[in-house]
Amino acid sequence: MHCVRKVLDDLYWVGADDHRLALFENIHPIPRGVSYNSYLLLDEKTVLFDTADWAVGRQFLENVQYVLNGRPLDYLVINHMEPDHGASIEEILLRYPEVKIISTEKAVMLMRQFRFPIDGKTEIVKEGDTRCFGAHTVTFVEAPMVHWPEAMVTYDTTNGVLFAADAFGSFGALDGKLFNDEVNFDRDWIDDARRYYTNIVGKYGPHVQALLKKASGIDIKMICPLHGPVWRTDLGYLIDKYDKWSRYEPEEKGVLIVYASMYGNTENAARILATKLVEKGLTNIAVYDVSNTHVSYLISESFRYSHIVLASVTYNLGMYPLMHNYLMDMKALNLQKRKVAIMENGSWAVKSGTRMQDFLEGMKQMEVLDTKLTISSALRDENLEEMDAFAERILESVQA
């Protein structure tokens, strides 16, 4: 049975939600599910913008058939060829053999690599090309590395709709609420949107900046991403978030404390630090155990906060392995412009702080504060003065 939403009078959402998938890209937990968005335009010509993951293929195909209502499908625009959006291309070709696929040269190459039978069925477009489907004329804008090299976005010059590919997307199933003004985004969605951006697109901030610059020159009235809500109001809110994230500017002034603890002593120190900071008036603090928090959440929070405290026990004369993994992800995703304080612990050779500092010095624009707290096995009363000075230095930096 079909499940569709009208976006505009002649434009329909024909995507689907997935609540069964546990890990997006087989990496990132998605406890609230995910949506795969596809859009169908009914003009003189019918145009499908992207397909959907094969996991929701049955629902997607029923939706397309219902909206077409017996009409042929004339065009399929592929903005992004990643399989969560391109996997159903072959089924569309089988059901609508006269359809023409419009996409970039690199996307067509990828279609062949995925062994789709597209010979004689493609029209390659590049930056600035246009197509008229009747009342609607669209133009194509290349968006390489947002977040694959073949990506483009499609702008409908007639109604101001931007089909944004993987830009402006979010984890989370829609559950019937298609539009941003049908949800409390700042309460219920921003964390998933941030985690989606930082882990999926975060590495490619300069490319996102290039796309935002292009977007600033067109009159966008609605954003139709491939995941998450369609934006028809308050577009500036979302664009501002993307601008900050892609410039690696902190979203908020505050402190993220991430600790690695084997037997609870480093954890105890991290929580005492958090308590001291709150007592000094700094309440925008988040505390996470690196061992039981998926790294995608840690990365998201790292993009959010201006300051990070790394608290690690020494393990085999180095960092705790999961702390090292977190820093590796941080570097791989190009995080920068953060101020970091280091807390180290060890029983017979305290080396974790040195190792963390060495790692951070190999990253872009990461400032290690000129204070370090060293613990030998467990905090004692005589360490509290040092802890207080450590907290004071962090507070001073946040307030600077």
Side-chain angles (χ1 to χ4, degrees):
M1 180 67 179
H2 66 270
C3 182
V4 305
R5 284 290 307 267
K6 181 183 285 190
V7 180
L8 294 167
D9 284 344
D10 52 4
L11 181 66
Y12 292 81
W13 176 84
V14 291
D17 286 332
D18 189 349
H19 276 288
R20 297 187 177 192
L21 187 68
L23 297 173
F24 187 82
E25 294 186 342
N26 214 22
I27 300 176
H28 310 295
I30 45 171
R32 295 178 57 240
V34 69
S35 71
Y36 301 108
N37 299 342
S38 175
Y39 307 92
L40 183 54
L41 177 68
L42 301 180
D43 202 346
E44 291 177 21
K45 300 293 185 180
T46 59
V47 188
L48 180 64
F49 294 92
D50 296 289
T51 69
D53 192 278
W54 188 241
V56 295
R58 177 179 176 180
Q59 181 70 76
F60 161 69
L61 293 166
E62 287 181 357
N63 291 345
V64 171
Q65 183 180 11
Y66 170 77
V67 174
L68 284 173
N69 192 28
R71 292 184 64 180
L73 180 62
D74 298 304
Y75 291 101
L76 169 60
V77 174
I78 294 295
N79 290 296
H80 182 29
M81 245 311 292
E82 196 170 4
D84 56 332
H85 309 296
S88 299
I89 289 175
E90 186 169 9
E91 191 63 31
I92 289 292
L93 291 171
L94 289 171
R95 291 173 180 241
Y96 307 99
E98 301 305 313
V99 70
K100 286 288 186 182
I101 301 174
I102 300 174
S103 199
T104 63
E105 185 175 8
K106 281 189 175 69
V108 170
M109 177 196 74
L110 291 173
M111 290 176 211
R112 291 199 168 95
Q113 287 182 190
F114 283 111
R115 302 176 65 184
F116 293 153
I118 60 170
D119 288 346
K121 297 182 179 295
T122 62
E123 293 183 12
I124 292 174
V125 292
K126 59 184 185 302
E127 178 94 19
D129 286 351
T130 62
R131 289 290 187 276
C132 181
F133 303 122
H136 291 261
T137 297
V138 303
T139 186
F140 305 102
V141 179
E142 293 180 1
M145 302 317 301
V146 185
H147 64 117
W148 274 26
E150 90 305 349
M152 69 175 185
V153 299
T154 302
Y155 175 65
D156 190 329
T157 64
T158 305
N159 57 18
V161 172
L162 180 71
F163 298 97
D166 262 354
F168 305 113
S170 177
F171 295 138
L174 296 170
D175 296 335
K177 298 180 285 290
L178 177 63
F179 298 104
N180 70 295
D181 55 8
E182 295 176 330
V183 301
N184 187 329
F185 196 89
D186 208 44
R187 184 190 69 194
D188 299 330
W189 281 84
I190 186 59
D191 289 343
D192 271 333
R194 184 191 305 107
R195 193 163 63 91
Y196 172 85
Y197 172 84
T198 56
N199 287 277
I200 305 300
V201 191
K203 178 181 177 70
Y204 305 108
H207 300 85
V208 175
Q209 279 289 305
L211 179 58
L212 289 174
K213 186 176 181 180
K214 293 178 184 180
S216 68
I218 56 180
D219 184 19
I220 301 171
K221 293 183 171 62
M222 182 179 290
I223 298 174
C224 290
L226 288 177
H227 299 289
V230 169
W231 284 76
R232 63 182 179 185
T233 63
D234 202 13
L235 272 59
Y237 168 93
L238 184 63
I239 292 170
D240 177 68
K241 296 292 187 187
Y242 260 66
D243 182 47
K244 279 191 173 68
W245 295 336
S246 59
R247 287 187 290 112
Y248 304 100
E249 297 290 344
E251 194 177 335
E252 301 173 12
K253 278 203 165 189
V255 177
L256 167 66
I257 301 173
V258 179
Y259 67 85
S261 186
M262 293 172 63
Y263 300 111
N265 294 301
T266 308
E267 176 183 7
N268 175 247
R271 297 199 179 281
I272 289 172
L273 173 62
T275 300
K276 284 189 172 292
L277 288 170
V278 172
E279 288 175 342
K280 293 175 184 294
L282 179 62
T283 57
N284 193 17
I285 297 171
V287 181
Y288 292 95
D289 181 350
V290 73
S291 293
N292 63 26
T293 307
H294 190 273
V295 71
S296 67
Y297 292 92
L298 300 179
I299 290 297
S300 177
E301 294 288 76
S302 301
F303 271 75
R304 178 180 177 182
Y305 288 102
S306 60
H307 289 65
I308 302 171
V309 176
L310 301 175
S312 180
V313 66
T314 300
Y315 194 89
N316 285 335
L317 295 179
M319 280 181 270
Y320 194 69
L322 292 175
M323 179 65 78
H324 185 247
N325 291 349
Y326 163 47
L327 291 179
M328 289 286 287
D329 267 27
M330 195 188 290
K331 185 175 183 179
L333 291 166
N334 209 23
L335 183 69
Q336 52 195 273
K337 301 180 183 177
R338 296 301 182 274
K339 296 182 179 181
V340 183
I342 289 175
M343 181 192 297
E344 61 179 356
N345 191 4
S347 293
W348 50 271
V350 186
K351 295 290 187 181
S352 59
T354 301
R355 300 290 186 264
M356 290 188 289
Q357 181 157 349
D358 289 346
F359 192 100
L360 291 164
E361 287 173 353
M363 294 175 63
K364 297 177 184 175
Q365 300 185 61
M366 298 292 275
E367 178 186 342
V368 179
L369 296 185
D370 55 355
T371 183
K372 181 169 68 175
L373 183 63
T374 299
I375 303 165
S376 296
S377 299
L379 275 179
R380 295 179 296 279
D381 288 344
E382 54 263 37
N383 298 129
L384 292 179
E385 188 174 327
E386 296 172 66
M387 174 67 83
D388 196 64
F390 187 63
E392 195 64 42
R393 179 67 184 93
I394 295 167
L395 180 65
E396 175 187 285
S397 180
V398 172
Q399 293 176 339

